Amino acid sequence: MSDTTAGTASERVFIDKQSPKAYHAMTETAEAVRTVAAEAGLDRTLVELINLRVSQINRCAYCLDVHTRAALRAGESTRRLGVLSAWRDTGLFTERERAALLLAEATTEPADAAAQESAYEAARQTLTDDEISAAIWVAITINAFNRVSILSKHPVRDATHR
């Protein structure tokens, strides 16, 4: 049993703590992706919408908590955050945001070839190549972080533990 686990078989290894070199490489990738997104013209609120939509699909409570707070800090509204899981059914998102969200969903569920084609078609109508690439990189990166948090069972703590 490693130092990271406390003694029962059901407790999880926090793989970010257990293998810090690998986790550090992921955080460096995330920093590079943030730079790519900014250079492509994706504002912070759109990046956070992608992070949140992917985390919703993956059901990553920890990342949903982190990125909800980040979206609010970036100026996103609680109204739009509240309906993000049903974004297709609202008029609250721009065509550009819708294209990026489609790409994020297709990246998260890559086995759905029809959804990928539809997402790319919508993206081509609205986004530049740099924006398409950046949106996909944001989705790839948050998907990786979702797996780290889900498999480690990172806890969502109340406000007194932050």
Side-chain angles (χ1 to χ4, degrees), residues 24-137:
H24 181 70
M26 279 185 59
T27 60
E28 286 181 347
T29 298
E31 289 172 21
V33 169
R34 272 192 295 276
T35 300
V36 165
E39 289 172 351
L42 298 185
D43 63 32
R44 191 66 194 178
T45 57
L46 181 51
V47 168
E48 293 305 337
L49 288 174
I50 293 169
N51 286 334
L52 285 165
R53 185 64 192 122
V54 169
S55 297
Q56 286 173 339
I57 294 166
N58 290 326
R59 299 181 56 197
C60 182
Y62 183 83
C63 293
L64 284 166
D65 181 54
V66 167
H67 292 286
T68 295
R69 287 184 282 119
L72 290 168
R73 280 192 310 272
E76 187 53 79
S77 73
T78 56
R79 183 176 186 210
R80 285 174 22 117
L81 293 177
V83 298
L84 180 60
S85 65
W87 64 267
R88 286 176 180 81
D89 301 324
T90 76
L92 298 178
F93 299 92
T94 67
E95 189 176 342
R96 189 168 174 263
E97 290 166 335
R98 290 173 174 277
L101 290 168
L102 280 170
L103 283 175
E105 290 177 353
T107 302
T108 303
E109 298 173 344
D112 188 342
Q116 273 192 32
E117 289 306 315
S118 177
Y120 249 94
E121 188 175 313
R124 283 276 178 220
Q125 305 280 324
T126 308
L127 303 174
T128 68
D129 288 354
D130 286 343
E131 291 170 328
I132 290 170
S133 180
I136 291 170
W137 273 111

Side-chain angles (χ1 to χ4, degrees), residues 136-155:
I136 291 170
W137 273 111
V138 170
I140 287 169
T141 305
I142 192 61
N143 267 291
F145 279 101
N146 285 171
R147 269 87 180 146
V148 169
S149 290
I150 291 166
L151 293 169
S152 296
K153 286 202 177 251
H154 287 156

